[in-house]
Every structure is written in structure tokens, then in C-alpha cells.
Amino acid sequence: MRDTLRHLAAGAAHLALSAGLLWMGHSLAQAQPHGTAAAAGTVATQAAPPTTATTASAAALYREHCASCHGAQRTGGMGPALLPESLARLRRPEALKVIQEGRAATQMAGFAGTLAPADIAALTDWIYQPVTPTPAWSDADVRASRVETAGARDLPGRPAWKADPMNLFVVVEGGDHHVSLVDGDRFEVIHRFASRYALHGGPKFTPDGRFVFFGSRDGWITKYDLWNLTVVAEVRAGLNMRNVAVSGDGRWVMAANYLPRTVVLFDADLHFVQRYDATTLDGKEASRVSAVYDAAPRKSFVVALKDIPEVWEISYDPKAPPIYDGLVHDYKMGESIAKPGYHGVRRTPLDEPLDDFFFDQDYRHVLGSTRPKTGAADGAPTAQVVNLDVRRKIAELPIAGMPHLGSGITFVWNGTTVLASPNLKDGAIDVIDMKNWKTVKTIATPGPGFFMRSHEATRYAWADSMMSPTAKDTLTLIDKATLTPVATLREPGRTLAHTEFTKDGRYALVSVWETDGAIIVFDAQTLQEVKRLPMSKPVGKYNVWNKITRSEGTSH
């Protein structure tokens, strides 16, 4: 009976794939730069709370009209979660509009004909207030949420479609919450399927390219068989999740949560293995978890914490050395009690938290930035280099503005390896020598951008200016040999962003980041448009080969 109920619940949850009140996660085209968006979200959630009478009225309205889909504690059900953490990227006027008008092609009906304008305004304000008491999501909840598709383990070990599986693109369409699989040779859609609501953090692949893992803002992890075009299993890791990572050996999956404040480890079949509370060693302070990354050369996961000044490394190497927390004069003499290194937390203390990461190619160094703190006197972001072997900061990064290191790239220049990072605040690309951590050049662009991409086989680095209200329609192409802009591509009046290359680097696929958008295929040498595929807000596209080989020109 319990299994039957679980499968019924899973079926109901799948109805949420096309339902919803808000667009969040990857919808960065309508968001402010990261720091501004975070500040805006903070202002929204810290605005003056409604009066007691209004609160009671809004709560009653929610119970009557919303709870059946979004959950009694607003943690989600048939519809997505309506928590402040989930609403951070959605402005209140947009939320109010959705409540009024509904959302096309979903189960979200408009209430303009049912509720008075004052009621809709009160309901909108109320969903931005924290839930009291704070919703919990226990280990038992995680385990109970897991569902598996019957027969998925017995599916053939070869693609059911005819194309190069290593040159496949996984395209996340945020406009109607679907995923398209695109043949990277013929540039045709092989398959399109509904996804969980508001996928976030980018899909992650197993080493053979067969399986892809998606993470949704609402905490769901979906394992999808690309070769057989079916969901294999799903589990809910938390109530508000940032991203997932897959180990380099394909055996482990880890999820980073804002709510609850945890990191959760699963095996590759999404069975719960272990929960890590994101706290200081003494347990007195807790943190939201910004992200988790796979450091394959180190056989470990690296965890970014938003609120406490530490970086975590969690090894999945059975031979990992023991962990000694605190100061030890000589660990060989057994002066401190060691903790197991395998699946243990190795902490690197810092002066301040880091919430945006980049790694060098061997994952020895973490390059991180700290967003400006709300209300801070200087309000200036910082960037630094942390050595994971010696477990301390070794350099400051000379980057002004608001660097988006997570979308940086590396490439060889003049006999050294350089990092090129976009900037969320300024129209500039900073190029840093990764041997001495000094600035090589700052390259001007038409406006602040979010993504930068390249490929080993192409001479250009492609940078967008999507955070600029006047230049969001422009891509700047930078010659990697001379570090100078040599061309621009435009889609007038529309948002042009997120470049990804075919596995051989011959073609570049770019998103027209609009609801009635498209994927534009460009010849990476001639810069001529080759083809255009209509898409509904294609927020990101990911080439299987480039991702599993960790191409220096794509995000990791």
C-alpha cells in the first residue's frame, strides 16, 4: 500500500511539470546582476510584514485557493514551492500578475475574476513572508520521496536513436519547462520532454554520457536515461536546492540545499547515503549551501557555503587520508583523533564566505568571490585564490566590479594559462595569469555579462552582455591570441546569451533567451548563421562531450 501511495504521489508531482506560479532559477535574463538580484530578493523578503488582520486573511485565502497545489506549508506539491528562498528571483509585481492572470499552458488559473484586487495583493505579499515554523525535510522524507521507473534497469545499453551520443546537446527550455535533445551534427531535435519545474544549476552527466541528472529549485533530482529517453528515478533532496554534482567515477550524486541547510549524498541510483549539516565545527552557526562541484582529479566534491567562512572538500576516494580538525603539531604522532577521510568533511577556514567558484584544470586551486553584504559600509565584492592542498588562501584576485567566476574559462596564451572572467556589474572581461594571479588585461565589452564560452579548437572566446539593458542583444567575440575584440553578433532587441560548442568546436550554439526564442547555430570560423531552432526561453545548452571531458571552454 505504501508503494502504491508513493507512486500516486509521484504521479501527482509529475503534474507539476507544467504547473506553476513563478519562473525562477535560470531565468536570469529578467533578473538583475547576482548581487543586485540578491539584494532585491532580500529587500522583498525583509519588507514590512503585513498586519495581523491582513496575514490572517491572506493565510485563509491561501488555504482555500492555493494549498491543495502548493502544499499547506508552501513547500510544493502539484505546484512549485512558494517560499522566500524560491521566490528570490521573482519580483512581486510579476508574482501578482501571475496570480491575477494565471499561466498559459499550465494548471495555474488566474484569480482576477475570483478574488478582489486587495486580496490578490495581500496574498502576493504573504507568500514572500517566511513560513513559521520553518519547514523541515528529514532523512526519512528524503528516502520516502524516491521513486523509480519500473523496468528502467533493464533498458538496452545503446541509444534508441541514430546520432552521435557524444555530440548531443541537452537544452533546458525555461519558458514552458521542457528539455530538448539536439543532434549536434544535423542540428535537429531528437526528443523533447517535460522537466521538473525551474531546473537550476545545469545538468550533470555520467562519464559514459548515458545518464543526465537534473536538479530543480524545489529540491528534486531527476535521473534521465538519454539513450532510452526515459526518467530512471527521482528523489527530493531538499525544499530549496541550488545544484547537484556527479562524481567523476559516476558512482555518487551530491545536492546542495538552501533549505534545509544541508548537503546530501546519494548513490548513482538516487538512494540516500548521508546528510551533512552545513554548520561550523562546533555546530553553533549554520549556512545555506551555495553550490557543490565535482573535483574529479581529486576524487572529491567541493562545497561552497554562503554564510560561514569555510570551503568543504568531501572525498569519495576510499583511500582518502584521515581528517584532523583543529591544530595538530604532528599528526604522525597521533596527537589528535582523526576522522575518516572517505566521505568526511575536510574544512578550509577562510576570512569570509565564498559563493561563486572557479577551478583550475587540476582542481588544486579554488578561485572564489564574495558578493557585497547587504548594508556593508564598503559594499565591495572580493575575489581570492584558495589552495585546497595547503587549505588556505594564497592570493587575492585583482578583479574589480562583480566577477562571475563560475562562468569563466581558461585557455593558453603566450605560454601560460589564463583565466577570463565575465563581470556582472561592469562591461569588462578580466584576464588573469594563473601562474602569478596577476591581471594580464581587462577587455572592454558593451555591457555586463553572465556567460563566457570557448573551445580548444576555436580562436575566439564568446562573451555576452545579457545583464545590460542596452546591450543584452550583443555577443562580443574576443581573439584569444591577441586578447582583443574582433567581432560582434547581434539579435536586435532580444537577449542573446549562453554559447556552447559542438564537440569539435566547429559550430557555436547560442540562445535567444526569450519565451518565443531560439537556438542559433553559427559557424565558429565564418560567424555565419547556419540554422535556427525555435525554443521556449532556452536558458542553457550543454554538449555531452564537452561536459564529460571538462573542456577548458565550458563550465564545470
Side-chain angles (χ1 to χ4, degrees):
M1 182 65 175
R2 180 179 297 175
D3 290 340
T4 301
L5 290 174
R6 285 188 189 176
H7 284 288
L8 288 173
H14 276 290
L15 293 176
L17 300 179
S18 60
L21 172 64
L22 59 136
W23 160 237
M24 51 192 150
H26 276 300
S27 187
L28 297 169
Q30 296 182 6
Q32 298 298 316
H34 187 142
T36 308
T42 302
V43 170
T45 58
Q46 293 181 352
T51 64
T52 302
T54 302
T55 299
S57 174
L61 289 169
Y62 180 86
R63 286 194 299 270
E64 180 180 357
H65 299 286
C66 313
S68 61
C69 285
H70 297 282
Q73 283 197 296
R74 306 189 342 237
T75 56
M78 293 175 65
L82 301 179
L83 303 169
E85 296 87 348
S86 302
L87 294 164
R89 292 184 182 274
L90 185 77
R91 297 173 181 173
R92 293 193 191 204
E94 289 297 317
L96 186 144
K97 182 179 178 182
V98 174
I99 296 175
Q100 286 177 327
E101 302 176 7
R103 203 175 265 284
T106 75
Q107 297 179 55
M108 179 63 197
F111 287 89
T114 307
L115 299 177
D119 289 336
I120 292 177
L123 187 55
T124 303
D125 287 340
W126 189 72
I127 62 176
Y128 281 88
Q129 303 304 317
V131 174
T132 305
T134 301
W137 194 249
S138 68
D139 296 356
D141 292 324
V142 176
R143 289 189 179 97
S145 70
R146 184 184 179 277
V147 291
E148 182 176 319
T149 302
R153 294 172 181 263
D154 301 321
L155 291 170
R158 60 185 181 279
W161 33 269
K162 296 193 180 299
D164 181 355
M166 288 296 159
N167 201 24
L168 182 74
F169 285 85
V170 173
V171 183
V172 176
E173 296 184 65
D176 59 0
H177 312 290
H178 277 70
V179 172
S180 286
L181 307 181
V182 176
D183 180 345
D185 293 309
R186 294 176 297 177
F187 305 117
E188 296 176 355
V189 175
I190 294 172
H191 185 58
R192 190 173 190 264
F193 58 94
S195 73
R196 282 280 174 183
Y197 193 84
L199 300 186
H200 184 69
K204 302 300 190 296
F205 301 91
T206 52
D208 59 1
R210 174 175 176 175
F211 299 102
V212 61
F213 293 83
F214 300 99
S216 78
R217 183 72 81 176
D218 280 359
W220 284 97
I221 305 174
T222 302
K223 181 180 181 179
Y224 189 87
D225 186 338
L226 291 169
W227 293 0
N228 291 284
L229 307 178
T230 185
V231 171
V232 173
E234 291 192 305
V235 69
R236 194 175 191 185
L239 300 176
N240 185 264
M241 187 171 69
R242 299 301 295 175
N243 79 323
V244 298
V246 177
S247 63
D249 59 10
R251 295 183 57 204
W252 309 102
V253 179
M254 184 166 275
N257 288 323
Y258 261 23
L259 182 68
R261 299 185 172 193
T262 58
V263 185
V264 187
L265 180 67
F266 301 88
D267 67 18
D269 293 319
L270 299 184
H271 291 102
F272 175 86
V273 175
Q274 187 170 345
R275 182 196 77 247
Y276 301 82
D277 293 323
T279 66
T280 51
L281 186 60
D282 59 12
K284 293 181 179 180
E285 295 181 64
S287 176
R288 294 164 291 175
V289 185
S290 296
V292 58
Y293 307 87
D294 173 51
R298 302 177 65 85
K299 298 182 180 180
S300 65
F301 293 109
V302 178
V303 180
L305 303 175
K306 191 171 184 65
D307 306 305
I308 58 178
E310 295 180 357
V311 172
W312 287 6
E313 185 172 14
I314 300 175
S315 179
Y316 52 82
D317 182 358
K319 298 180 180 180
I323 296 170
Y324 295 88
D325 288 316
L327 298 175
V328 178
H329 177 261
D330 187 348
Y331 70 89
K332 296 179 182 178
M333 298 177 64
E335 294 179 344
S336 176
I337 298 175
K339 297 178 182 178
Y342 183 54
H343 288 175
V345 176
R346 193 178 301 273
R347 300 167 186 261
T348 295
L350 303 170
D351 294 331
E352 54 189 345
L354 299 180
D355 59 5
D356 184 25
F357 275 21
F358 185 84
F359 296 88
D360 56 6
Q361 287 295 91
D362 62 6
Y363 285 79
R364 185 184 180 197
H365 295 99
V366 171
L367 287 66
S369 59
T370 300
R371 300 293 179 226
K373 299 177 179 64
T374 303
D378 56 5
T382 60
Q384 58 187 278
V385 182
V386 177
N387 186 301
L388 289 175
D389 291 336
V390 299
R391 296 169 59 192
R392 64 180 178 85
K393 181 181 78 173
I394 62 168
E396 295 278 350
L397 281 178
I399 302 179
M402 193 178 297
H404 187 226
L405 294 169
S407 284
I409 61 172
T410 60
F411 55 90
V412 176
W413 176 81
N414 277 8
T416 188
T417 299
V418 295
L419 157 72
S421 172
N423 200 299
L424 300 174
K425 183 179 178 182
D426 302 321
I429 300 293
D430 288 294
V431 183
I432 307 292
D433 188 328
M434 298 185 74
K435 288 183 179 178
N436 57 26
W437 310 113
K438 294 182 178 179
T439 302
V440 171
K441 188 174 183 180
T442 298
I443 305 167
T445 61
F450 197 90
F451 295 105
M452 191 170 186
R453 294 289 185 266
S454 189
H455 189 279
E456 296 86 344
T458 181
R459 63 182 292 185
Y460 303 125
W462 298 47
D464 65 55
S465 294
M466 65 173 292
M467 313 307 289
S468 166
T470 58
K472 66 178 184 179
D473 59 2
T474 303
L475 285 178
T476 301
L477 275 64
I478 298 166
D479 190 312
K480 292 188 291 187
T482 63
L483 303 183
T484 56
V486 293
T488 57
L489 297 171
R490 294 191 65 223
E491 188 74 7
R494 318 200 73 185
T495 302
L496 203 59
H498 196 279
T499 304
E500 177 65 297
F501 291 82
T502 52
K503 74 173 188 178
D504 60 3
R506 182 178 176 184
Y507 297 98
L509 280 65
V510 180
S511 292
V512 179
W513 208 326
E514 309 288 345
T515 302
D516 59 340
I519 296 293
I520 306 177
V521 182
F522 291 99
D523 185 302
Q525 282 191 313
T526 67
L527 308 184
Q528 297 299 306
E529 180 175 330
V530 173
K531 196 168 185 177
R532 185 173 293 226
L533 303 175
M535 298 274 178
S536 181
K537 190 172 280 186
V539 296
K541 69 209 73 63
Y542 308 88
N543 181 271
V544 171
W545 176 258
N546 290 341
K547 296 293 285 186
I548 66 176
T549 61
R550 288 176 163 76
S551 165
E552 66 180 23
T554 190
S555 63
H556 299 175

